[in-house]
Amino acid sequence: MRKDVRILLVGEPKVGKTSLIMSLVSEEFPDEVPLRAEEITIPADVTPERVPTHIVDYSEAEQSDEQLYQEISKANVICIVYSVNNKKSIEKVTSHWIPLINDRTDKDSRVPLILVGNKSDLVEHSSMETILPIMNQYQDIETCVECSAKNLKNISELFYYAQKAVLHPTGPLYCPEEKELKPSCIKALTRIFKVSDLDNDGILNDNELNFFQRTCFNTPLAPQALEDVKNVVRRNMTDGVKDNGLTLKGFLFLHTLFIQRGRHETTWTVLRRFGYDDDLELTQEYLFPLIKIPADCTTELNHNAYLFLQSVFDKHDKDRDCALSPDEVKDLFKVFPYMPWGPDVNNTVCTNEQGWITYQGYLSQWTLTTYLDVQRSLEYLGYLGYSIIYEQESQAAAITVTRNKRIDLQKKQTQRSVFRCNVLGARGSGKSGFLQAFLGRNLQRQRRIREDHKSFYAISTTYVYGQEKYLLLHEVMPDFDFLSEADLACDVVCLVYDINNPRSFEYCAKVYKQYFIDSKTPCVLIAAKSDLHEVRQHYSLTPHEFCRKHKLHPPQPFTCNSTDAPNKDIYTRLTTMAMYPHARLRCMCSCNRCTYCLCQNLLRSELLRSLKAQLRRVVFNSSSRPGRSLSSLTQWSVATLCQLARRHMAQADLKNSTFWLRASVGATVFAVLGFAMYRALLKQR
């Protein structure tokens, strides 16, 4: 809605332009009328629409043609004043003033016109019979008002209609010749209907109508008023009401009726509440609300946003199979001006056997969009009506801006839920296969992917110590000479090489030494295509020697050439390393050189803490139940150790004999200590 309104009065000399302005301001007819009134401003709290209004007079005697042209270009609405008792002034409306105004305004943004018949006190007849053909001839004419500056007749109404023509114009909404809504208005109201139809059954029931009424007009409809509205629709059309709810046709009819009865402001209030401007386009302020994202921070969807997206998914998953078919996806995006998801999305997120996006894949794609391009995510949420349905000021309320990554490193903990892994490697090393395997696709399924449908991203969920996190894999194009900041900015790096290609590892080694050797970003080497025969790499060091020299984890064997879905343990490890990049702990595997053995160390700590707590409880309980033997305590300790270890086997690679030896000794020591405490308690008793 405009912040102010500028009204220009033009017309032949002596028709009463200045008198109209003077009568409005002083509320009485002036005894002496100047050649031209000075520009006046009516404060917002005085006008019905609560918008400041500037009223500008024109005098041919005092102003030049150039000054007139400037005023026409600045005006929001122009009142062409004629005298009802002067036929020549009426003829000048069509012969001079309308052509002049049209010549000085753009065809696509014409200024609304109002015909003002002044001096109605001097005649007993109306000029409407002469004016109506003119109104039908020129679409820019909003209305015609007959008034009298001397008797103060319709003076306030004149300027109210002028203000209304700017704030609530008829032109964009309604075609008077066809007596129906314009296509752009139908399109906007259809989107509003679909957003308000919360259960997607094609009908606005009483609850949805009340929510719509409260959202747009800040007040619910009384039950009787609701029935009256439906009865009006029933009387005028057969398919406007269905199952006691309002259909889309009935919804459009109501707005047509509002406009035909001169209540344009009702339709405009609805349109503006849902983000539309005077051209029936969604405003930039609505689609792209201001959100500040400091450097080294990322963007994620918050809990309310995920709840909203879940409701949108449920609304369109009509067959309740937890996946969106192509038709269901099209239905979901009908409120968009374009299709936002291309065929590559199906190869970016998880799908079912039919290739349809699953519920998890749907949320993953939204998470990906928010992380990579938060402005686009805000735009999409705007089309879906997030701020309206959740009654928020804007879509920015759906976004969480994470804290600076440097603070996470200092505090050695993070609250982020999305972690990025850049996947680098020479051509043909298996990067794309590594991404698709994360989505549960083996090599056979990957071969069915069309070349033009491939994606350089893959995103899904992993679980790190019971916490659900999103891991975003990004395949970086192999350009060794130039890697941009975006290629280097991530939480963990995957360097992929083909064990069957003797020249594949060299690229990984050079990239690591040039870009990551002094970086704090964790790096992992992936020995891809491990189902094939491993050949010697044409590099001065073998991959294992390279890892030992640079204190990296040994190369992780990986293959997606399997009958079932590929193993996903490596992705959990990547997420863990991304979450805890500070964890440079002593290696617990056979090489004694690896830097990142976080899973094993954390597991050891958890085992010891759990074991201590359990032993305390057992010893305390044993004091009241004597007779528990050393062997039973020892057996219990070892059993507990095994049970706790199995709980984390999916996340930790603990097949190491050194670890098990230390763990067994630790369990035995605790068992002996527990038995000693037990004996001491018995003696006290």
Side-chain angles (χ1 to χ4, degrees):
M1 197 166 178
R2 291 183 181 274
K3 295 181 179 179
D4 61 358
V5 174
R6 190 175 182 86
I7 303 171
L8 173 64
L9 275 68
V10 298
E12 293 301 297
K14 306 296 182 180
V15 293
K17 303 184 294 297
T18 308
S19 300
L20 290 170
I21 298 173
M22 303 285 286
S23 296
L24 174 71
V25 174
S26 62
E27 296 185 351
E28 61 180 6
F29 187 70
D31 296 330
E32 295 183 5
V33 180
L35 290 175
R36 175 176 174 266
E38 294 295 327
E39 178 181 329
I40 66 167
T41 299
I42 302 176
D45 54 356
V46 178
T47 63
E49 297 292 342
R50 302 292 177 185
V51 176
T53 302
H54 311 281
I55 302 176
V56 181
D57 191 11
Y58 165 70
S59 172
E60 184 178 333
E62 288 195 354
Q63 292 174 286
S64 65
D65 290 344
E66 189 60 37
Q67 289 175 311
L68 173 62
Y69 301 154
Q70 289 178 2
E71 290 296 344
I72 290 174
S73 64
K74 290 191 291 184
N76 302 129
V77 58
I78 299 176
C79 297
I80 304 176
V81 184
Y82 64 92
S83 177
V84 294
N85 65 343
N86 186 338
K87 289 186 177 181
K88 186 178 179 181
S89 67
I90 298 176
E91 292 172 358
K92 283 284 188 177
V93 170
T94 54
S95 64
H96 175 68
W97 289 109
I98 293 179
L100 173 67
I101 293 168
N102 288 342
D103 288 343
R104 296 293 163 179
T105 54
D106 294 332
K107 187 176 181 180
D108 297 331
S109 56
R110 289 284 170 82
V111 179
L113 306 177
I114 293 181
L115 302 185
V116 181
N118 192 22
K119 304 185 181 181
S120 62
D121 58 294
L122 299 179
V123 295
E124 294 181 357
H125 63 274
S126 172
S127 62
M128 283 301 176
E129 291 184 4
T130 308
I131 295 301
L132 281 175
I134 300 175
M135 292 181 63
N136 293 331
Q137 182 181 355
Y138 295 97
Q139 295 183 5
D140 299 332
I141 299 175
E142 286 284 325
T143 188
C144 176
V145 183
E146 287 192 345
C147 58
S148 171
K150 187 173 183 179
N151 294 343
L152 305 182
K153 176 186 175 184
N154 288 341
I155 301 298
S156 298
E157 287 78 1
L158 158 63
F159 291 101
Y160 169 69
Y161 286 133
Q163 192 182 59
K164 188 176 176 181
V166 177
L167 302 178
H168 311 300
T170 309
L173 306 181
Y174 186 73
C175 180
E177 291 83 6
E178 303 292 336
K179 294 184 179 179
E180 60 184 25
L181 298 174
K182 288 188 174 180
S184 57
C185 182
I186 293 174
K187 182 180 177 182
L189 290 174
T190 300
R191 171 185 166 267
I192 292 170
F193 180 90
K194 289 188 69 65
V195 168
S196 304
D197 184 13
L198 301 178
D199 55 8
N200 200 33
D201 62 351
I203 299 168
L204 294 184
N205 58 40
D206 287 357
N207 290 333
E208 291 165 342
L209 280 171
N210 259 317
F211 179 78
F212 170 81
Q213 177 76 12
R214 192 174 68 253
T215 299
C216 296
F217 305 102
N218 297 319
T219 178
L221 279 174
Q224 186 56 48
L226 206 57
E227 283 304 312
D228 292 344
V229 169
K230 287 188 249 183
N231 288 333
V232 169
V233 177
R234 285 190 186 100
R235 285 195 297 268
N236 287 274
M237 58 192 316
T238 56
D239 51 355
V241 177
K242 181 181 177 183
D243 298 334
N244 203 34
L246 202 62
T247 65
L248 175 60
K249 288 185 178 180
F251 184 74
L252 294 175
F253 168 78
L254 276 179
H255 285 282
T256 306
L257 198 62
F258 292 147
I259 295 167
Q260 289 174 344
R261 293 182 177 180
R263 292 173 56 190
H264 315 82
E265 64 274 11
T266 302
T267 301
W268 275 114
T269 301
V270 171
L271 289 166
R272 288 186 174 122
R273 179 64 185 91
F274 279 78
Y276 289 93
D277 61 13
D278 291 349
D279 298 320
L280 297 186
E281 298 288 343
L282 289 171
T283 65
Q284 294 295 298
E285 292 78 8
Y286 173 78
L287 290 177
F288 305 104
L290 183 65
I291 181 170
K292 294 182 179 179
I293 306 169
D296 243 5
C297 298
T298 59
T299 47
E300 301 175 1
L301 294 168
N302 59 30
H303 179 65
N304 282 340
Y306 280 116
L307 289 178
F308 171 74
L309 293 172
Q310 178 183 348
S311 68
V312 173
F313 182 92
D314 294 338
K315 175 177 172 178
H316 294 89
D317 182 22
K318 295 180 179 179
D319 52 10
R320 297 291 181 265
D321 62 347
C322 288
L324 294 177
S325 68
D327 289 339
E328 289 170 341
V329 171
K330 287 180 183 177
D331 186 47
L332 190 154
F333 291 126
K334 277 184 179 178
V335 294
F336 285 58
Y338 56 88
M339 175 58 71
W341 290 359
D344 60 311
V345 172
N346 295 60
N347 300 313
T348 304
V349 299
C350 293
T351 58
N352 62 13
E353 290 297 326
Q354 297 168 285
W356 298 351
I357 297 172
T358 62
Y359 172 69
Q360 179 188 344
Y362 164 82
L363 292 182
S364 296
Q365 179 62 26
W366 276 99
T367 304
L368 171 73
T369 305
T370 305
Y371 185 93
L372 296 179
D373 190 351
V374 68
Q375 292 298 323
R376 183 162 294 188
S377 185
L378 290 171
E379 178 189 359
Y380 292 173
L381 289 169
Y383 292 136
L384 291 173
Y386 172 82
S387 61
I388 290 134
I389 301 301
Y390 268 56
E391 300 180 71
Q392 301 287 342
E393 185 176 344
S394 71
Q395 299 87 264
I399 305 299
T400 295
V401 179
T402 63
R403 70 184 179 189
N404 193 296
K405 192 176 177 181
R406 285 194 294 262
I407 299 176
D408 285 350
L409 289 171
Q410 290 170 3
K411 294 184 176 293
K412 297 186 177 181
Q413 60 180 350
T414 183
Q415 298 171 338
R416 293 159 59 202
S417 299
V418 186
F419 300 92
R420 176 169 177 161
C421 172
N422 283 353
V423 182
L424 296 93
R427 293 187 186 278
S429 58
K431 301 186 296 298
S432 298
F434 186 73
L435 265 68
Q436 291 300 311
F438 185 35
L439 306 177
R441 296 171 186 144
N442 57 22
L443 189 61
Q444 185 178 1
R445 284 188 64 185
Q446 292 178 29
R447 285 171 176 163
R448 297 200 293 264
I449 299 174
R450 288 174 48 178
E451 189 67 29
D452 56 336
H453 291 177
K454 285 187 177 179
S455 173
F456 292 107
Y457 292 94
I459 183 170
S460 189
T461 54
T462 61
Y463 286 86
V464 178
Y465 300 110
Q467 300 178 61
E468 184 183 62
K469 303 294 180 182
Y470 282 95
L471 179 63
L472 164 60
L473 301 179
H474 172 45
E475 179 183 346
V476 178
M477 296 303 292
D479 185 357
F480 172 75
D481 295 328
F482 176 75
L483 290 178
S484 66
E485 290 186 11
D487 298 330
L488 303 176
C490 58
D491 302 299
V492 62
V493 174
C494 252
L495 299 170
V496 181
Y497 72 96
D498 178 1
I499 67 168
N500 194 242
N501 182 349
R503 300 188 179 278
S504 184
F505 176 73
E506 182 180 11
Y507 177 87
C508 296
K510 288 183 176 179
V511 166
Y512 176 79
K513 289 170 70 175
Q514 181 163 341
Y515 295 103
F516 299 106
I517 192 168
D518 296 322
S519 169
K520 294 182 180 180
T521 305
C523 296
V524 176
L525 274 166
I526 303 295
K529 306 180 185 180
S530 60
D531 56 302
L532 302 178
H533 174 66
E534 184 172 5
V535 299
R536 181 176 178 79
Q537 296 293 322
H538 292 176
Y539 190 71
S540 56
L541 298 174
T542 67
H544 282 78
E545 291 171 344
F546 183 87
C547 290
R548 281 197 296 270
K549 178 180 178 180
H550 296 286
K551 298 182 180 180
L552 297 173
H553 204 74
Q556 302 296 298
F558 177 82
T559 181
C560 55
N561 189 11
S562 57
T563 54
D564 300 324
N567 189 287
K568 292 189 176 182
D569 289 351
I570 183 61
Y571 304 106
T572 303
R573 176 170 295 189
L574 289 171
T575 312
T576 307
M577 293 170 66
M579 286 179 65
Y580 304 100
H582 56 274
R584 292 182 171 270
L585 304 178
R586 185 168 63 85
C587 179
M588 297 183 61
C589 69
S590 57
C591 73
N592 280 326
R593 292 180 181 275
C594 296
T595 309
Y596 300 102
C597 295
L598 178 66
C599 294
Q600 293 92 323
N601 281 271
L602 288 181
L603 177 56
R604 180 176 65 170
S605 302
E606 182 178 350
L607 284 172
L608 294 179
R609 285 195 301 270
S610 301
L611 198 55
K612 288 177 183 177
Q614 292 280 10
L615 280 170
R616 288 193 194 99
R617 284 196 291 271
V618 169
V619 171
F620 178 79
N621 293 335
S622 298
S623 63
S624 58
R625 292 183 299 158
R628 199 151 193 174
S629 65
L630 171 63
S631 60
S632 65
L633 276 173
T634 305
Q635 290 172 6
W636 174 87
S637 302
V638 175
T640 303
L641 177 69
C642 295
Q643 180 182 1
L644 292 170
R646 279 196 298 270
R647 187 193 312 164
H648 296 277
M649 279 298 289
Q651 296 179 351
D653 183 11
L654 301 178
K655 297 179 181 179
N656 186 294
S657 58
T658 305
F659 170 79
W660 284 113
L661 177 61
R662 294 176 181 176
S664 301
V665 172
T668 305
V669 169
F670 276 112
V672 173
L673 289 173
F675 180 73
M677 292 171 65
Y678 163 69
R679 292 292 300 271
L681 288 170
L682 280 182
K683 287 182 181 180
Q684 290 177 3
R685 292 183 54 149

